[in-house]
Every structure is written in structure tokens, then in C-alpha cells.
Amino acid sequence: MTAPLLVMTGAVKRFGGVQALRGVDFDLKAGEIHALLGENGAGKSTLMNLLSGVYTPDEGTIEIDGKPVRFNNPREAQAAGIATIFQELDLVPSLDVAANLFLGRELMRPGGFLDVPAMRREAKKRLEAIEIAIDPGAMVADLSIGQRQVVAIVKALSYASRVLIMDEPTAALTVGEVERLFDIMRKLAATGVGIVYISHRLEEVPGIADRVTVMRDGRVAGITEPHAPQAELVRLLVGRPLDELYPQRAKGAGKPLLSLRDASFKLARDSAGWQAPQGVSLDVHEGEIVGLAGIMGAGRTELLSALYGTGLSGHWEGEVAISGRPVKLDSIKAARHAGIAFVTDDRRGSGLMLRMAVGLNLVMSVIRRISPNWLVSPRRQAEAVKESFGQFDIRPKNPDIAVGALSGGNQQKVVLAKEILGNPRLLLLDEPTRGVDVGAKGEIYARLRALAAQGLGILVASSEMPELIGLCDRIVVLRQGRNVAEFMGGVDEHTVLAAANGREA
Amino acid sequence: MSDEKISAAGAPVTAAPQKHRDPLALIVRFQSLIGLVLVAIGGIIFSPRRHGEILFLNPDNIANIVRAVSETGIIAIGMTFVIITAGIDLSVGAVLGLSSVVTASMMISGGFGLIPTILAVLVMGIVFGAIQGTISTRFRLEPFIVTLAGLQAARGLALVVSGNQYINISYGDGPGLAPPVFAVLGERLFNNTVPVATLVFIVFAAIATIVLNTTRFGRYVFAVGGNERAARISGVPVSMVKISVYAITGFAAALAGIVHAGQFNFGSANDGMGYELTAIAAVVIGGTSLFGGAGSMVGTVAGTIMLGALANILQLNNITPAMQLLATAAIIVLAAVLQSLVRRREGLGR
């Protein structure tokens, strides 16, 4: 594994007046796992798109096995052995695993009929080759995100098998699933596949990568050892030493804000795969940030959406109180009336009107406030927008551009700013920094802490353990819809993981 | 109309000048106005002349164009609300037919006065639309299928009411006659220049523009189309908004039906066929996105008049209706392609 499998030299790519890549050198050896880090807008997506044939470079060359290649479309890159797994997996949820694996290249019987048994057999063989037990006849829609990821990998490798490019593969995975994914990646690398691993999560790098390239502003900021100190990686990423990522914790919390006592959410109709809260008891005090930990399917998202009334229909049993007064949280209206705001884990799907201007998105939760007498007051609207821009450093500082054109971090700031405009007393956050770069993360944590200092209570669910441990005052661990343990912030990760998995630490 | 800024979603948030706008996006933003100007220029160039007079610019001809588009224009105004919420209403042409029949029969056989008749028909349109909206939201059905059924239902009702006969409207005092003032809908005001039907269209368009761009309700409409789930989470009363926009299209179709009865002096169950498609075409040419969340009332008005002007030029040159259809088809495709290109540039399309 000495001769590079893939070499990119001096790659330049412009989009209109914007230079996305300004002369990037990158190489990958066979059997190597090469991590590519960079904040949003650093150019790693563009680099990936050049390698996978989505774009062609304006300048620079790509060589495979020392021979120059030029990809005009993704198919040519696949033919050269480069497989790409995009963040949004290109699987058809309503088809089964085998049908997805053979989509577009179905095995046929004479006469033009699908040979389903042969495809299932072959699919099973390929899944077993990486020691994964997924039923080839299962609908993709019924698989967990982690399982879908595996199917996408197997599918990509069946097209092309020399280079595997993975864009943020762990963004939606739980800790256990990440470990399984890493196992698969190591096995693949051992067979000689070169893997480009794109990620935001610095802490994963030492565990998986052989080499790390950090990008910034369309250039390579540095190539380092995976075991380089995290501070060094952060310095390369943001171009300056970053202050403490997590802000100081609060001195003490205020009065109880949200109190659940043996509270269960009874579904109107049973639904498999939706882990309703079961006998949950927890408190969120004014000025306190409480984390919800748990493995995938433990019911973190379900608890938040049941409190906000966006989950499945049903009703709460047991004690649910806000500021000591019992409340009936059965609809969004009731939740908002109680002073609760909610930020979903899916900002593109259910957080933002992507094609609408940033400003119009920001005022969405306060339309009533800015339209006394039913007429929208441009002055009140401008004031609200200004307030949001004062709260969060949203870039670019222009409320008139479509929010979909912003980076992930800035979109997340818009979603948060939007809900905070409504002056909630309790903020429910689901994966508040998913797909957000380190710089924006730090800013979001600082703002959340500042808001808590003003008395806001925050209940935050996250699959990123370091985030919960660093940000929260207390961490409540859920398992099968119940609260099974509680820790103070700063607890060590293994203790929380053990509780989440139901093991002794 | 010219100083009205067509914004992606209502009024601009700040007065700050926008830097380096994509020229393609600008073209699409004003595509219907640009198209209208181009069609007008084409009309002048290709217009037949008589004694040196450009027939296309003859005041009678222009009045004719804006009169001919007034009914589909009124419908397109309502349709713009629905399409901004990412919905569609196929029932409007049939509701126009039903409304013309009910208008005629209430006045002629029912002996009702003008005002009660108009109010009753408008309320009927609102209720018809609201029922469709309620069915669609309550049972989570695609508006396409609900309003397709609504189309059939309205035609059926119209046939029942009319007994599949033209109901002629005769004017005068007394039973079986309509008040003569109703006939004003077929006339022109201001020195015989401005058709009354066009006035109704323009006034309705002006009110709709204000509602869409400056009211809380208008903002809700954009929000529901922009991202229904996000709107719900932000506390927007999504079902109420959806029911309301179908009530608005029902109202618009009923208004157009009254205008229709007044212009042609009869009610006919089979009139208004295909109007829904012309209206949808005008809305799309006007720059409103079928994906929802973006659109403009001014664009719809311009799109409506542009389609009418185009048909007029082709007629003046004795070009067959078949060619008119083909020309309309080409313009719809062009408008849609332009929008798609902009979406892709913005990195929002697939």
C-alpha cells in the first residue's frame, strides 16, 4: 500500500465568481482510510464531487494508478472504480433491500421477468461478505438509518470497488451504529479499498483514520496524523485557536419549569418503531440545560415530539406540569400556549421554508406579533429580524436571500433564532448541531447557555455524547421510553453509554 | 403595476439593495411582465394594418383582449393562493358553470333580486370550496383528486339545476325577468372604453394582491406552501389556511360565473370547461411555483393578459386555433423551464 491509488493535483473549481477550490492536492492509497475534515464551505463537498464525477475540475488533474483520468459524469467515475455514498442515501424506501441493490441492473429470467430469488440470494451473499445480517427481503423503509447506511455501502461497492467516498456517514448514527460502521470500513480497507471519509466529528478521527487532511477556504490547511491533539485539528479547521467549545455551566438552576412524574404517552393507535414515553419522571428548571441521552430507538425524539404535540396522536397520562401547574400537552397549540418551543432534528424537512428568504423564515413563529390588526407591519418585522441577527451571527448578514442557500450551520442558527424570537420559557431541541461545523457549534452552545442564564429552560436530545456531556447541566438517560439514570454534566462518556445500553459501567 | 415589486414571498424584508443578483433569477422574477411586453411588441409588429392603423393597438381590440381574459383572470387570482400552498383546484371551471346556472335560474325562475342572487351564489362558491378543502385536509387526500371529484360534482349539480338547458336571461321589471342593471357586466364604462368585466377582474386582483402580500393570512399561505411541517411546528393553523384557500378559489369561480352570466345573458351548465387549465397556465407563467411557497399576484395578472394578447394576435392574423394551442404550450414549457433553471442555480432543485 505504498503507491497512491488516486492522486489529485492542483484542483481548481469555480462557481460563477466563487472559487470553491483554489489548487488542492489530495491523494489516497489502497487500503487507506483517509479522513477529510473541513467546516461547511471549506470545499470538501466540491472535492468529493470532483472525485465522483459530479463536477469536472476547471484546472488540475486526477490520476488513478498513475494514469490521468477525466470524469464527465458520475458513471465514468464509477467505471474507474470510485463509489460515492452521499449524505442523503440514494435508496428507494418502498423497495426491498435486494431490489435496491440491483436497481437499474436487475437480474432477469429469459422472457424479461425479474429473477427475484437470484437477486435475494446474491444480496444475501454480499451482505454476509461484510458480516451483516440484514434480510434482503426487508423493505428499506423498515430499516434503521444505520442499516440503510450499510445497504448503501454494499450497493455502492457493487458498482465500483476501488475507492469509496463517504460523506458524513455517521451524522445520523448512534454510537453503537458508528462502531459497527467503523468495523465494516476497517474490513473493507483490509481488502484494499481506499476510503475517503468526510466528517465533522473530530473525536471520531483517531479511532478510524490512517491520515487526516484538513481543508479550509478551498485549500488544504494541513495533513496530519490522526492522533494529533484535537486542539491542533481545531486550529487547522478554523484557522485560529478556538476558545473552549463548551461554555461554563450555570451556577445554579431556578424554579422547576417542566415536571414529569410517571408520565406516559398513550398512543391513540399502536405504532411499531415509535417508542412512546413510558413512566418518565424528570424536571427541567428555569435556567437549566438538561440532556436526553439514549441509544437509537430509546425514545428521545419521541419524548420531545410528544411534549410538543407533533408526534403521533395520543394523550399524556401521569403528571405533566409547567411551573407547578398541570398542563394538557396534546397539541402544538397547547404546547405553544404553555410557552414551549421546539426545534426538530430535520431542519430541511420540517424546520425551514428553504426557498423563502431568511427574514421571512425568522419571523414565522411570531407572525401574530408582527401583524397586529391582521396586517403585517414591515417595521415590526424588520425589528424582529434585527433582533435575530443580533442573537445569532447568521452569515451572510442578508435577510433577503433564500435560507436554502445558507450553509448547514447558518440554517441551524436560523431555526434556533426563529424559535427564540417567540420568547419561549422551555426550548425543546432535537439534535441541535447535526451537520453543523465546529465554529457554528461553539456559537450555538454559547447562545444556548446565555439564553439559559436569562431563565430559559432547555431540554436537548442528542446522539452526540460529547455534546451532552459538555453542554448540559444534567443528563437524563432514556431506555425503552423510560428514564433509567441521571448524571451531572461532565460525567464520563462510558458511564452514560453503559446506562444507555443497560450494562454496568 | 410597474412599481410593484414582485417578491418571492410578499414584501421585501429590508429596503437594503440586493447585491449581485443572478440575471436569470431577475428574468424569472419578472418573466410574465417581460413576456407581456414581448407579446405586445410582437403584436405591434405582426398586427394587420388598415389605413396605416395598427389593429392590435386599436382601443376596441385592447378592450376586447382584457374583456376576454377577465373570467379566467378572476379564476387565476384565486388559483394563485391555492398553488402557493402547493395545492391545485380543478373544480373552478365547473363551479363557474354551476354559478352561471344558479345566477340565471335564481333571477329568472326563482324571482330573486340582484343582490340576494349575487350573495347567494358567492356564498355557494365559498362553501363548495371550503367543503373540498375540508375533505382534503381532514382525510389527508391530494387536492388533485378531491377537486377532480368536485369538478364532476359541480357539473352534475349544474345539469340538475338547469335541466341541461340554456337559461336565457331577459331583462326588465317583473317576474321572470332580471334587473336591467345586471346587464352592465357585458358593457363598457368610461366613454365606452373599459369593460365592466375587466374592472371586476382588476379590483379583485388588487384586493388579492393586498391580502397575499400584506396580511397575516397571506404570510400563512406562503408558509404552508414553503414547508407545511415547519409551518405547523411554528404554530401556523395549517388546516384553516388550506380550507380558506379553497374557499377563495370557490369564491373566485362563483364571481367569474356571475360575470359570465352577465356578459352572455344566459346560464349554461357546460360553460367554463377547461378554464381551470387556462387559469393554471396563467399562474405558472406568472412565476408561481407549483411546488408551493413562491408566487406573485402581479405575475398572475400579467400571465393572464399575456395569454389573451397572444391569442388575439394569432386571431388577428387568422392563425388557426390549433396553432394557438401549440403557442400556449410552448410558453408554458418555457416558463416552467426558466423556473427550474433558477431552482437549480440556487442549489435547491434536484
Side-chain angles (χ1 to χ4, degrees):
Chain A
M1 63 177 260
T2 42
L5 172 60
L6 181 147
V7 179
M8 175 183 259
T9 318
V12 172
K13 181 70 190 174
R14 295 179 204 89
F15 295 100
V18 183
Q19 204 163 3
L21 290 184
R22 307 158 184 264
V24 170
D25 299 337
F26 182 81
D27 70 273
L28 180 70
K29 301 186 182 83
E32 178 189 40
I33 299 178
H34 191 154
L36 184 60
L37 299 179
E39 303 216 313
N40 285 321
K44 53 190 196 313
S45 297
T46 310
L47 177 67
M48 181 188 77
N49 283 325
L50 291 185
L51 291 178
S52 59
V54 177
Y55 304 137
T56 49
D58 294 331
E59 290 167 34
T61 58
I62 301 173
E63 290 174 12
I64 290 182
D65 296 333
K67 285 187 222 84
V69 289
R70 188 173 175 81
F71 307 136
N72 293 308
N73 55 52
R75 205 167 272 268
E76 290 179 13
Q78 282 168 5
I82 299 178
T84 311
I85 297 166
F86 293 95
Q87 227 166 11
E88 280 137 14
L89 303 174
D90 45 356
L91 299 176
V92 184
S94 56
L95 293 178
D96 65 31
V97 172
N100 266 287
L101 289 180
F102 288 94
L103 196 62
R105 300 162 306 139
E106 287 80 0
L107 301 181
M108 306 299 265
R109 284 181 204 280
F113 299 100
L114 290 174
D115 192 350
V116 174
M119 286 191 279
R120 295 233 167 128
R121 270 198 310 277
E122 182 63 24
K124 198 167 161 69
K125 217 164 77 194
R126 288 183 195 176
L127 288 163
E128 279 170 355
I130 52 170
E131 292 164 43
I132 289 293
I134 296 175
D135 173 14
M139 288 292 162
V140 166
D142 297 334
L143 300 182
S144 72
I145 304 286
Q147 289 173 317
R148 290 184 204 193
Q149 196 101 46
V150 173
V151 174
I153 292 172
V154 173
K155 182 182 170 189
L157 288 175
S158 66
Y159 280 107
S161 54
R162 304 202 58 200
V163 176
L164 183 60
I165 303 173
M166 305 175 81
D167 186 15
E168 301 263 352
T170 58
L173 300 189
T174 57
V175 180
E177 286 175 320
V178 169
E179 273 312 314
R180 252 168 283 152
L181 178 69
F182 285 176
D183 275 347
I184 293 169
M185 286 167 66
R186 287 189 198 100
K187 276 180 207 151
L188 291 173
T191 65
V193 178
I195 299 177
V196 182
Y197 168 74
I198 298 172
S199 183
H200 271 114
R201 296 188 181 177
L202 291 183
E203 62 276 9
E204 285 175 2
V205 168
I208 185 71
D210 298 314
R211 198 152 51 122
V212 183
T213 292
V214 181
M215 292 189 70
R216 190 175 71 240
D217 297 333
R219 291 196 176 87
V220 172
I223 301 176
T224 77
E225 285 290 299
H227 294 282
Q230 192 152 342
E232 166 70 6
L233 289 177
V234 170
R235 192 188 57 76
L236 287 174
L237 274 172
V238 296
R240 61 189 155 80
L242 195 72
D243 301 337
E244 189 75 39
L245 184 60
Y246 299 104
Q248 287 284 314
R249 283 196 182 74
K251 298 276 185 301
K255 287 177 287 196
L257 184 57
L258 171 75
S259 316
L260 301 180
R261 288 288 170 276
D262 197 20
S264 303
F265 192 74
K266 299 291 176 199
L267 289 173
R269 278 179 297 276
D270 273 343
S271 175
W274 205 84
Q275 180 57 62
Q278 303 281 342
V280 175
S281 298
L282 67 82
D283 288 290
V284 180
H285 297 86
E286 287 173 0
E288 192 183 31
I289 303 181
V290 176
L292 285 177
I295 58 170
M296 193 104 153
R300 287 172 286 145
T301 297
E302 289 87 341
L303 175 57
L304 295 184
S305 48
L307 285 171
Y308 194 68
T310 54
L312 303 180
S313 61
H315 65 277
W316 282 97
E317 280 178 5
E319 195 186 317
V320 180
I322 297 275
S323 300
R325 226 175 290 148
V327 283
K328 219 175 136 222
L329 297 178
D330 54 358
S331 67
I332 293 173
K333 207 173 158 187
R336 294 187 77 83
H337 190 73
I340 302 177
F342 177 48
V343 174
T344 71
D345 59 341
D346 180 12
R347 60 176 166 265
R348 295 180 73 87
S350 54
L352 295 168
M353 286 94 191
L354 290 174
R355 297 187 61 196
M356 288 168 63
V358 171
L360 294 173
N361 271 280
L362 283 172
V363 298
M364 201 53 78
S365 64
V366 291
I367 292 181
R368 277 168 190 280
R369 199 167 83 202
I370 63 165
S371 60
N373 326 316
W374 287 91
L375 289 182
V376 174
S377 150
R379 183 181 56 81
R380 286 177 185 235
Q381 173 164 296
E383 280 169 8
V385 169
K386 207 174 150 199
E387 189 187 326
S388 281
F389 273 82
Q391 287 266 0
F392 284 92
D393 183 21
I394 298 163
R395 304 265 178 94
K397 256 190 154 40
N398 178 356
D400 292 330
I401 59 171
V403 75
L406 266 51
S407 71
N410 282 299
Q411 287 183 9
Q412 189 66 21
K413 290 184 213 168
V414 173
V415 185
L416 283 166
K418 176 179 82 167
E419 290 309 324
I420 286 162
L421 262 187
N423 289 326
R425 302 171 63 203
L426 173 67
L427 184 59
L428 308 176
L429 300 176
D430 199 1
E431 303 288 350
T433 62
R434 174 178 289 175
V436 167
D437 57 62
V438 179
K441 261 186 192 177
E443 191 196 334
I444 288 171
Y445 296 147
R447 285 310 314 163
L448 291 178
R449 186 45 82 185
L451 288 160
Q454 293 163 24
L456 178 71
I458 301 176
L459 184 59
V460 46
S462 176
S463 56
E464 291 194 36
M465 209 53 82
E467 171 168 287
L468 288 178
I469 292 167
L471 176 68
C472 300
D473 299 308
R474 279 187 300 128
I475 298 166
V476 173
V477 181
L478 296 183
R479 195 167 70 234
Q480 293 171 355
R482 293 169 200 283
N483 55 317
V484 292
E486 188 170 322
F487 303 101
M488 298 307 285
V491 65
D492 92 291
E493 191 167 338
H494 291 285
T495 313
V496 183
L497 276 178
N501 285 298
R503 302 188 307 253
E504 295 293 314
Chain B
M1 205 188 302
S2 57
D3 60 351
E4 162 100 42
K5 188 174 184 188
I6 306 179
S7 164
V13 175
T14 61
Q18 306 202 349
K19 286 175 283 181
H20 52 76
R21 263 211 164 277
D22 185 352
L24 186 65
L26 266 183
I27 290 174
V28 169
R29 198 168 221 214
F30 296 103
Q31 65 182 27
S32 54
L33 288 173
I34 292 170
L36 185 55
V37 170
L38 290 180
V39 167
I41 293 170
I44 294 165
I45 294 170
F46 296 110
S47 166
R49 282 149 213 264
R50 190 181 299 147
H51 310 304
E53 194 207 354
I54 299 168
L55 289 186
F56 178 72
L57 292 181
N58 179 293
D60 273 343
N61 188 56
I62 289 177
N64 219 9
I65 293 173
V66 291
R67 190 203 55 74
V69 300
S70 57
E71 290 172 23
T72 48
I74 291 168
I75 289 177
I77 295 294
M79 190 72 81
T80 307
F81 284 99
V82 166
I83 292 183
I84 290 174
T85 66
I88 198 91
D89 188 346
L90 300 178
S91 71
V92 283
V95 172
L96 180 148
L98 173 63
S99 302
S100 77
V101 166
V102 172
T103 303
S105 65
M106 275 183 79
M107 286 195 296
I108 302 305
S109 8
F112 287 94
L114 184 63
I115 303 291
T117 302
I118 289 176
L119 287 180
V121 171
L122 292 178
V123 168
M124 177 195 75
I126 291 171
V127 170
F128 194 93
I131 290 173
Q132 295 187 102
T134 308
I135 292 174
S136 167
T137 50
R138 180 71 187 76
F139 299 104
R140 300 197 183 160
L141 297 175
E142 285 298 322
F144 186 97
I145 203 72
V146 174
T147 58
L148 183 63
L151 184 164
Q152 313 287 351
R155 286 271 176 241
L157 283 173
L159 287 169
V160 169
V161 172
S162 67
N164 201 13
Q165 301 286 323
Y166 276 77
I167 303 173
N168 285 304
I169 299 175
S170 332
Y171 297 96
D173 271 335
L177 294 172
V181 65
F182 189 59
V184 79
L185 283 167
E187 291 166 7
R188 294 188 200 165
L189 293 186
F190 306 117
N191 223 354
N192 198 26
T193 51
V194 183
V196 176
T198 306
L199 274 183
V200 175
F201 168 40
I202 294 303
V203 169
F204 185 47
I207 295 170
T209 308
I210 292 167
V211 170
L212 184 65
N213 292 337
T214 66
T215 68
R216 191 190 294 172
F217 173 75
R219 190 59 66 79
Y220 284 166
V221 169
F222 280 111
V224 169
N227 187 339
E228 190 179 324
R229 284 160 68 196
R232 208 180 282 279
I233 287 174
S234 295
V236 174
V238 172
S239 298
M240 193 280 285
V241 172
K242 284 181 153 186
I243 293 169
S244 302
V245 291
Y246 290 96
I248 290 175
T249 45
F251 172 85
L255 182 62
I258 294 166
V259 171
H260 188 78
Q263 285 204 77
F264 300 100
N265 302 321
F266 61 73
S268 161
N270 292 317
D271 279 14
M273 272 191 189
Y275 279 27
E276 62 278 356
L277 302 180
T278 311
I280 293 167
V283 173
V284 171
I285 290 168
T288 297
S289 165
L290 283 173
F291 295 105
S296 108
M297 216 40 98
V298 178
T300 295
V301 172
T304 305
I305 297 175
M306 179 185 140
L307 282 178
L310 182 74
N312 178 263
I313 300 163
L314 298 174
Q315 276 163 16
L316 287 178
N317 286 294
N318 290 323
I319 290 168
T320 61
M323 289 307 294
Q324 291 180 33
L325 288 174
L326 290 175
T328 310
I331 287 175
I332 294 171
V333 170
L334 183 68
V337 167
L338 278 175
Q339 280 184 32
S340 158
L341 285 178
V342 170
R343 264 206 314 283
R344 234 179 287 169
R345 284 248 191 133
E346 289 170 349
L348 300 173
R350 294 273 139 132

